[in-house]
């Protein structure tokens, strides 16, 4: 390998600018919509998977969103780039203290250049990973307007002048399947090919994927080529063995929800009914996948008669994983060692900018350390090729055309 291909990161994050809703929310909804505020913060603790937060005018200045009864502060651990590791704490933070690339698209592109990244897909922060903030709101008319305003900002402002380097990732109104389908269509018509969704909807009080409720959503995503992206924590519940365990336990177990969600999908029949639907698990890593697939296939062989899936899932579950599911990683040497079982066509890369886990600004070095010894074609797939194929990106078309031409030539002469 002469040079590491520039990375297409399938999981980064954006800190919303203070003007977002003032600019993009229609005027008639602004009184009831989110409002930015800079105010002191008091208690900020993470206990049992939930934040305890208070305002304190005498506390450190922090940037907040105020929306209905919600007071949402930005925290240093979610805008961590630029700080030393031991400074990535649960303190409040203002945008002025953040690295500008957290919320400014021009500065983000510059940081991507520093970090060997060509393109980036960014999850929301204030709306939470799949729009739970708006799903929990009382006034659903305003909430729907907020979802649409966020998506308009994402497509037209955050991504609009990036030349395709910032990839739009949109929300749906989780509380209404008809509105969700309409929002997928609205965004697909302007080229959006990624939507964020909950890894485990019942944790949010929503129907499960087994109920059939979400089938119209899956159908429109399949029809439009929209990838369903599920970030760890998009169920608002992180795994832990004990309610009083330190947050490091949940951070270490965060892949568990992705594993549970993937197993749910493999046995749901969703991937059978929608064979072109694509699912992507974000920040879940991949070292766990080989055993999860082995266990799912074993369970299907041994238990399908009484287990309720004999007619629902006609082939071994791993069949549907390799056909339709993508994982992603950034620090996972065990996954790399098991790459044939993970799937060389199923793994993608991420940088997690600007979170505490981010590899910025050392992503190139981290990636090179993982892929040493792999062949060039596999490195290309992991760093960008699989992400380009997954998201239907307009990148590397010349390379793909040349590769297909060479393969056709080889077939003719073989």
């Amino acid at each position: 390998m002469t040079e590491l291909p520039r990375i297409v990161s399938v999981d980064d994050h954006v800190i919303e600018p203070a003007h977002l809703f003032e600019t993009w929310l229609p005027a008639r909804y602004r009184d009831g919509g989110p409002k930015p505020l800079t105010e002191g913060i008091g208690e900020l603790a993470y206990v049992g998977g939930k934040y305890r937060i208070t305002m304190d005018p005498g506390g450190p200045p922090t940037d907040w969103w105020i929306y209905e009864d919600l007071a949402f502060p930005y925290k240093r651990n979610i805008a961590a780039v630029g700080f030393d590791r031991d400074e990535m704490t649960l303190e409040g933070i203002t945008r002025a203290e953040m690295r500008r690339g957290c919320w400014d698209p021009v500065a983000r592109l510059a940081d991507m250049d520093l970090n060997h990244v060509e393109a980036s897909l960014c999850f929301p922060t204030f709306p939470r990973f799949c729009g739970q903030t708006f799903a929990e709101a009382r006034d659903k008319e305003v909430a729907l307007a907020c979802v649409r305003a966020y998506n308009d900002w994402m497509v037209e402002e955050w991504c609009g002048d990036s030349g395709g380097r910032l990839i739009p990732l949109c929300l749906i109104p989780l509380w209404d399947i008809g509105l969700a389908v309409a929002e997928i269509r609205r965004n697909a018509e302007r080229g959006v090919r990624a939507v964020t969704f909950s890894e485990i909807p019942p944790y949010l009080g929503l129907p499960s994927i087994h109920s059939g409720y979400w089938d119209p959503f899956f159908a429109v995503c399949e029809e439009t080529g929209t990838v369903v992206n599920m970030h760890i924590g998009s169920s608002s519940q992180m795994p832990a063995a004990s309610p009083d365990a330190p947050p490091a336990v949940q951070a270490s177990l965060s892949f568990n929800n992705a594993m549970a969600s993937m197993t749910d999908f493999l046995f749901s029949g969703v991937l059978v009914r929608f064979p072109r639907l694509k699912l992507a698990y974000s920040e879940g890593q991949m070292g766990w996948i080989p055993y999860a697939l082995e266990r799912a296939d074993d369970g299907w062989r041994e238990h399908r008669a009484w287990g309720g899936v004999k007619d629902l899932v006609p082939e071994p579950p791993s069949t549907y994983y390799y056909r339709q599911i993508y994982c992603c990683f950034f620090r996972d040497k065990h996954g790399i060692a098991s790459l044939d079982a993970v799937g060389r066509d199923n793994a993608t890369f991420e940088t997690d900018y600007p979170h505490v886990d981010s590899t910025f600004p050392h992503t190139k070095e981290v990636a090179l350390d993982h892929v040493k010894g792999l062949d060039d074609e596999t490195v290309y797939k992991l760093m960008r090729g699989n992400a380009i194929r997954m998201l239907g990106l307009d990148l590397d078309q010349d390379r793909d055309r040349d590769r297909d031409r060479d393969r056709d030539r080889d077939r003719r002469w073989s």
Side-chain angles (χ1 to χ4, degrees):
M1 181 177 60
T2 56
E3 176 64 27
L4 185 78
R6 290 186 78 194
I7 292 161
V8 175
S9 175
V10 299
D11 172 37
D12 294 314
H13 301 267
V14 60
I15 302 296
E16 296 79 16
H19 68 260
L20 191 159
F21 295 101
E22 179 67 25
T23 300
W24 294 97
L25 194 62
R28 65 184 180 278
Y29 297 118
R30 286 178 194 157
D31 284 347
K35 297 176 179 60
L37 174 69
T38 301
E39 181 59 271
I41 195 166
E43 180 187 26
L44 207 172
Y46 188 72
V47 181
K50 301 292 183 184
Y51 285 104
R52 294 178 182 171
I53 302 166
T54 60
M55 280 189 180
D56 179 355
T62 299
D63 278 346
W64 303 71
W65 287 103
I66 307 302
Y67 176 49
E68 293 192 342
D69 297 331
L70 174 67
F72 180 97
Y74 286 123
K75 303 174 290 294
R76 189 179 287 192
N77 66 327
I78 61 172
V81 291
F83 292 98
D84 292 333
R85 181 63 57 188
D86 290 338
E87 295 176 334
M88 297 178 182
T89 63
L90 275 183
E91 296 176 52
I93 192 172
T94 64
R95 291 179 187 84
E97 296 172 299
M98 299 175 191
R99 191 174 178 92
R100 192 176 179 90
C102 293
W103 51 269
D104 180 293
V106 175
R108 176 64 65 93
L109 292 173
D111 276 355
M112 288 162 59
D113 288 335
L114 287 173
N115 205 31
H116 201 68
V117 174
E118 180 171 5
S120 169
L121 183 80
C122 292
F123 282 82
T125 302
F126 162 65
R128 312 217 304 278
F129 290 145
C130 67
Q132 302 101 300
T133 293
F134 302 125
E136 294 167 1
R138 293 187 303 273
D139 190 328
K140 288 300 191 287
E141 183 179 356
V142 174
L144 177 60
C146 288
V147 167
R148 290 174 173 166
Y150 177 90
N151 290 341
D152 291 344
W153 165 81
M154 166 62 62
V155 174
E156 298 182 38
E157 183 177 326
W158 179 252
C159 300
D161 293 329
S162 71
R165 296 185 62 192
L166 294 171
I167 306 160
L169 175 65
C170 286
L171 307 174
I172 56 169
L174 290 163
W175 61 92
D176 188 301
I177 191 65
L179 294 174
V181 168
E183 190 62 12
I184 292 290
R185 291 194 185 282
R186 184 176 83 94
N187 292 312
E189 287 173 359
R190 51 185 174 173
V192 176
R193 293 293 178 267
V195 64
T196 179
F197 186 62
S198 176
E199 59 199 352
I200 308 176
Y203 284 179
L204 303 179
L206 298 168
S208 81
I209 62 168
H210 303 280
S211 66
Y213 174 84
W214 297 104
D215 279 10
F217 167 69
F218 297 136
V220 73
C221 287
E222 179 183 58
E223 175 193 334
T224 59
T226 300
V227 182
V228 179
N229 297 264
M230 292 172 284
H231 197 284
I232 56 166
S234 57
S235 56
S236 295
Q237 184 171 319
M238 295 292 279
S242 307
D244 55 349
V249 172
Q250 295 179 324
S252 298
L253 293 175
S254 59
F255 71 92
N256 274 6
N257 280 358
M259 182 166 60
S261 175
M262 189 180 82
T263 306
D264 227 19
F265 269 101
L266 291 177
F267 285 109
S268 68
V270 168
L271 301 177
V272 179
R273 295 193 298 276
F274 305 103
R276 296 182 308 281
L277 179 68
K278 292 184 284 188
L279 309 180
Y281 284 96
S282 306
E283 208 174 322
Q285 308 291 1
M286 62 185 188
W288 53 270
I289 288 175
Y291 177 70
L293 293 177
E294 179 184 345
R295 180 59 185 160
D297 283 357
D298 193 49
W300 178 84
R301 275 191 305 271
E302 304 299 331
H303 305 293
R304 64 180 180 269
W306 73 269
V309 295
K310 181 168 66 72
D311 299 319
L312 189 63
V313 183
E315 299 179 77
S318 63
T319 305
Y320 308 103
Y321 165 81
Y322 291 118
R323 188 177 74 187
Q324 295 173 253
I325 297 179
Y326 294 83
C327 58
C328 77
F329 73 102
F330 54 102
R331 290 191 190 92
D332 192 340
K333 290 187 177 180
H334 186 74
I336 289 289
S338 307
L339 193 56
D340 285 331
V342 169
R344 292 175 188 246
D345 293 323
N346 300 82
T348 60
F349 197 71
E350 64 162 289
T351 80
D352 200 31
Y353 182 109
H355 281 190
V356 67
D357 251 335
S358 179
T359 52
F360 177 88
H362 307 296
T363 296
K364 184 176 182 180
E365 293 88 337
V366 171
L368 283 169
D369 187 45
H370 277 68
V371 304
K372 59 187 176 186
L374 297 178
D375 62 274
D376 286 356
E377 185 64 22
T378 298
V379 174
Y380 170 80
K381 287 180 177 182
L382 298 179
M383 294 296 104
R384 63 188 286 118
N386 290 339
I388 290 170
R389 179 167 50 87
M390 178 180 87
L391 294 164
L393 301 179
D394 187 20
L395 297 172
D396 294 357
Q397 290 184 334
D398 291 342
R399 179 191 189 278
D400 294 341
R401 184 169 56 248
D402 292 343
R403 182 195 58 198
D404 293 341
R405 181 197 61 207
D406 292 344
R407 286 178 177 171
D408 289 342
R409 181 198 59 205
D410 292 344
R411 280 194 291 266
R412 285 197 302 271
W413 287 98
S414 62

